[in-house]
Amino acid sequence: RPMTSASPDTIPCVRPPNIGVLLTGFGPFPGVPDNRSGTMLATVSEACRDAAPGLLMNTAVLPTHWSDAPVALQSLIGELSPA
């Protein structure tokens, strides 16, 4: 049966306003043209915004080099302060 706002099976996605979320993916690995984890960010971010309008979605594509990714991630966390 279709779920409506009156349906007991409905679990509302309610979040306090202005909760920051950082969603990351990775850029391509050497020799590979793209990385799906990086290219899907816009789609997932848009779906999250639609499902929970109070979320402030931030996305970033991290480098795949083992020493660069943690540095980039720490910088983003410091800058954006996600929840």
Side-chain angles (χ1 to χ4, degrees), residues 2 5-6 13 16 27-28 33-34 38-39 49 52 55-56 61-62 70 73 76-77 82:
S5 59
C13 185
D34 68 358
T39 57
R49 282 187 188 108
L55 295 179
L56 301 174
V61 176
L62 300 174
L73 181 59
L76 288 163
I77 290 170

Side-chain angles (χ1 to χ4, degrees), residues 18 20 22 38 58 63-65 68:
N18 302 322
L22 174 58
N58 298 285
T64 54
H65 190 271
D68 295 338

Side-chain angles (χ1 to χ4, degrees), residues 29-59:
F29 288 93
V32 180
D34 68 358
N35 185 327
R36 295 279 175 135
S37 72
T39 57
M40 61 86 190
L41 288 176
T43 302
V44 173
S45 180
E46 184 176 323
C48 289
R49 282 187 188 108
D50 291 346
L55 295 179
L56 301 174
M57 295 299 299
N58 298 285
T59 61

Side-chain angles (χ1 to χ4, degrees), residues 1 5-6 13 16 21 23 41 57 63 66 70 80 82-83:
R1 78 178 180 208
S5 59
C13 185
V21 174
L23 180 65
L41 288 176
M57 295 299 299
W66 68 271
L80 301 171

